[in-house]
Amino acid sequence: MSIAEIILLVIQILHEYVCILVMRDKAPMQQAIVDFAQDHEQDWYAILSCGHTQHVRHNPPWQNRPWVLTQTSRSEKLGMSLACKKCDQDLDLPTTKLIDDRNA
């Protein structure tokens, strides 16, 4: 690897870290609900526009979402935004992937 390639790689890594630090101070990533499904325990989860999923359980008194119990109520929530924890976690991925890609 040449000095120029190393410098370019360092700049890319620093840029990625700066982007991660900036995004951590922002509000959680909001994604629209596009559908619902049930897991193996029959708990409901939302399918988000980003492709990730998030449980939307009704488990009083801890989680109070009676709207998940009926098809009509769930349909009314389509398009509603939820904070996608997985999208936020994706911002925290390590930069070693850049290095791996360059060596491949």
Side-chain angles (χ1 to χ4, degrees):
M1 187 179 269
S2 72
I3 300 242
E5 290 175 318
I6 292 171
I7 291 171
L8 180 60
L9 184 59
V10 169
I11 290 170
Q12 290 173 335
I13 291 170
L14 289 173
H15 178 264
E16 186 172 332
Y17 275 125
V18 168
C19 289
I20 289 170
L21 292 173
V22 168
M23 292 305 293
R24 282 184 181 161
D25 292 336
K26 294 191 177 194
M29 183 79 65
Q30 297 291 312
Q31 300 290 349
I33 298 173
V34 296
D35 204 357
F36 292 94
Q38 284 182 297
D39 65 14
H40 64 282
E41 295 177 0
Q42 302 304 309
D43 286 328
W44 286 100
Y45 62 90
I47 301 170
L48 305 177
S49 58
C50 58
H52 294 133
T53 59
Q54 184 172 321
H55 274 99
V56 285
R57 294 179 180 97
H58 178 60
N59 186 18
W62 297 279
Q63 298 159 324
N64 193 19
R65 296 185 187 109
W67 55 266
V68 301
L69 301 177
T70 67
Q71 175 64 40
T72 303
S73 296
R74 286 190 305 277
S75 294
E76 291 171 357
K77 298 296 183 180
L78 293 175
M80 182 180 90
S81 292
L82 288 179
C84 182
K85 298 172 187 173
K86 291 180 184 174
C87 280
D88 288 336
Q89 289 172 352
D90 286 348
L91 294 175
D92 293 332
L93 290 176
T95 57
T96 53
K97 183 169 180 1
L98 282 174
I99 296 168
D100 294 342
D101 289 345
R102 299 276 299 177
N103 291 333

